[in-house]
Amino acid sequence: KRDFQANILISRILKLLKDYERRLEGIESFVYMHCVGIQVEKHCSKARAKALSAWDKRTEISTAINVATKKKIPKLVSELKIKLDNLPQVSHTTVIRAKES
């Protein structure tokens, strides 16, 4: 009878350990996904900041080109156009989405 009770106890303990292991795996998965989410948000935040910065620089240079064109300073216009061409392309939609986030 004692062996039977010991087997029941061991069986219950094994069931509890398996349940504990399943819960622990769930918690580990949650923590991992939370960390992944944080990294994705950091990446997106940096990308938004970079897009906004590039947009601002492009806007400033475009404005300077317009002023230099009106003042008839062709050398400055060509230098500014080279700078503008070297900046990354940023769409207006990207900027709007970045500002909304």
Side-chain angles (χ1 to χ4, degrees):
K1 186 172 181 173
R2 201 174 220 184
D3 287 341
F4 181 71
Q5 289 176 340
N7 285 338
I8 291 174
L9 183 61
I10 290 171
S11 174
R12 287 181 183 168
I13 290 172
L14 284 173
K15 184 179 177 187
L16 289 172
L17 285 172
K18 285 180 183 179
D19 186 49
Y20 175 77
E21 183 179 18
R22 184 184 54 79
R23 289 181 185 191
L24 191 59
E25 286 174 356
I27 292 169
E28 287 173 345
S29 294
F30 173 81
V31 170
Y32 176 76
M33 290 308 294
H34 183 70
C35 291
V36 168
I38 290 170
Q39 293 302 315
V40 167
E41 181 54 37
K42 282 182 185 177
H43 171 77
C44 291
S45 178
K46 287 178 183 177
R48 285 191 296 268
K50 189 175 178 181
L52 288 172
S53 174
W55 179 265
D56 289 342
K57 286 178 184 175
R58 291 185 72 80
T59 302
E60 290 171 4
I61 292 173
S62 295
T63 302
I65 289 171
N66 292 336
V67 170
T69 302
K70 286 180 185 175
K71 301 254 181 184
K72 298 181 182 178
I73 311 172
K75 186 174 181 181
L76 181 58
V77 170
S78 62
E79 288 176 14
L80 290 171
K81 283 184 178 180
I82 290 170
K83 280 188 177 184
L84 188 63
D85 290 340
N86 289 333
L87 288 175
Q89 293 291 328
V90 181
S91 70
H92 188 251
T93 305
T94 302
V95 172
I96 290 172
R97 286 183 185 159
K99 287 182 178 180
E100 289 174 351
S101 298

